């Protein structure tokens, strides 16, 4: 068993599950969407992206692309949240929260693609 593959798989799955935890729930109810969970999802997603930089295969390039998409979506969600709570006079209203949750949904889709790729890669691995 390769420790590198375990760590890689751990962070890919953790990024997806944290993102799912933030995403799930009513779009307009702030009590169901924690800013700390969004922050954790972003940090873990960034760590997963860094771990994907070493792979030089075609599948590795797609893994990296999915992570970059997830990172971009989560960064955009964090920026919208910060703008709504710190700058906007309306605060974190239903419209702003729906935007944040929708952006995290895009990141969740990218994370799910990454998990599917990880499963395909694992299933197609042949021992030598």
């Amino acid at each position: 068993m390769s420790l590198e593959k375990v760590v890689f798989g751990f962070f890919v799955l953790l990024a997806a599950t944290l993102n799912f935890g933030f995403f799930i729930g009513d779009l307009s109810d702030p009590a169901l969407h924690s800013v700390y969970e969004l922050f954790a999802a972003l940090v873990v997603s960034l760590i997963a992206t860094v771990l994907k930089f070493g792979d030089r295969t075609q599948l590795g390039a797609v893994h990296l692309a999915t992570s970059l998409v997830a990172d971009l979506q989560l960064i955009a969600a964090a920026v919208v949240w910060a703008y709504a709570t710190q700058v906007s006079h309306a605060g974190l209203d239903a419209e702003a929260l729906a935007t944040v949750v929708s952006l995290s949904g895009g990141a969740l889709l990218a994370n799910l693609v990454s998990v599917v790729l990880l499963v395909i890669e694992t299933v197609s691995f042949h021992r030598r």
Side-chain angles (χ1 to χ4, degrees):
M1 179 182 330
S2 167
L3 182 61
E4 178 182 325
K5 293 288 185 184
V6 171
V7 170
F8 176 73
F10 172 79
F11 279 103
V12 168
L13 289 171
L14 185 59
T17 57
L18 284 170
N19 196 324
F20 179 77
F22 177 79
F23 176 76
I24 204 75
D26 183 20
L27 282 175
S28 61
D29 188 356
L32 300 176
H33 307 284
S34 168
V35 69
Y36 300 112
E37 196 164 17
L38 176 62
F39 178 74
L42 176 57
V43 168
V44 171
S45 184
L46 291 170
I47 292 169
T49 300
V50 169
L51 292 174
K52 293 176 183 179
F53 272 109
D55 194 349
R56 300 279 184 225
T57 65
Q58 179 64 31
L59 193 58
V62 178
H63 264 298
L64 181 59
T66 61
S67 267
L68 292 172
V69 168
D71 293 345
L72 182 63
Q73 296 272 13
L74 290 172
I75 289 168
V79 166
V80 170
W81 187 298
Y83 178 81
T85 58
Q86 304 300 320
V87 178
S88 173
H89 295 296
L92 188 63
D93 58 0
E95 182 181 347
L97 186 59
T99 301
V100 170
V101 173
S102 294
L103 286 166
S104 79
L108 178 60
L109 180 60
N111 282 331
L112 291 176
V113 169
S114 189
V115 169
V116 168
L117 290 174
L118 180 64
V119 169
I120 289 170
E121 183 179 23
T122 302
V123 168
S124 67
F125 179 75
H126 294 94
R127 289 193 171 223
R128 294 175 193 162

